[in-house]
Amino acid sequence: MHLNPYGAEPVRLAADLANDPPRSVAELARRCRAAGVVMDMPVRDDDLPVALRLVEEWSEIVDAGSADERAELLNRMLASASTYPRLTDHGDGRWHLHYRDDGVPLSVVLRALISVGTALHLTVRGMDRLGRCALDGCRTIYADLSRNGRQRYCSPRCANRDAVRRHRARIGP
């Protein structure tokens, strides 16, 4: 995965894994590959439970009650994930940064990608740019990538449902 300056791709991947946890290590690897992760690391059977714990930890960052709490949780994740940044090109001449050692398994790569990507996303876009859908009964996590930073729903469908509910409540029976 090529980490962009806003952290969008790793944050989207984290939200995707949180909202629909993979059921096998093969599914985890397939979804990472589909999200753009360059799969140049070993994939082990224990990557799935480690990645699922990572996603639970990341979800706590999403659910944090304040920017300070979110920063504290994310700083802990960063401390456990990252090594010194290094340049790499995977042999294709397209240079980018890695925040992990070479040869580590997929779950370690995901911890580095998701923690650094989330830090970039929040510091560049705003500390409130992660959340859960505002529709009652929907707990879907979203990464707010909107221009104005006012996303409150996981999808247009949930936003429309809530708008209809509010409209019906205003006009009465």
Side-chain angles (χ1 to χ4, degrees), residues 11-23 27 31 52 55-56 58-59 62-63 130-133 138-143 151 153-155:
V11 172
R12 280 188 188 131
L13 176 59
D16 176 58
L17 296 175
N19 292 327
D20 183 19
R23 290 161 190 79
E27 179 186 351
R31 289 171 61 188
L52 293 175
V55 168
E56 287 175 15
W58 183 81
S59 295
V62 172
D63 294 332
L130 292 173
R132 291 197 185 256
C133 186
C138 183
R139 300 279 301 146
T140 302
I141 293 173
Y142 64 85
Q151 182 174 347
Y153 299 94
C154 66
S155 66

Side-chain angles (χ1 to χ4, degrees), residues 116-131:
V116 172
T118 301
L120 289 169
H121 176 77
L122 294 175
T123 57
V124 172
R125 292 184 180 270
M127 289 298 287
D128 60 343
R129 292 295 201 101
L130 292 173

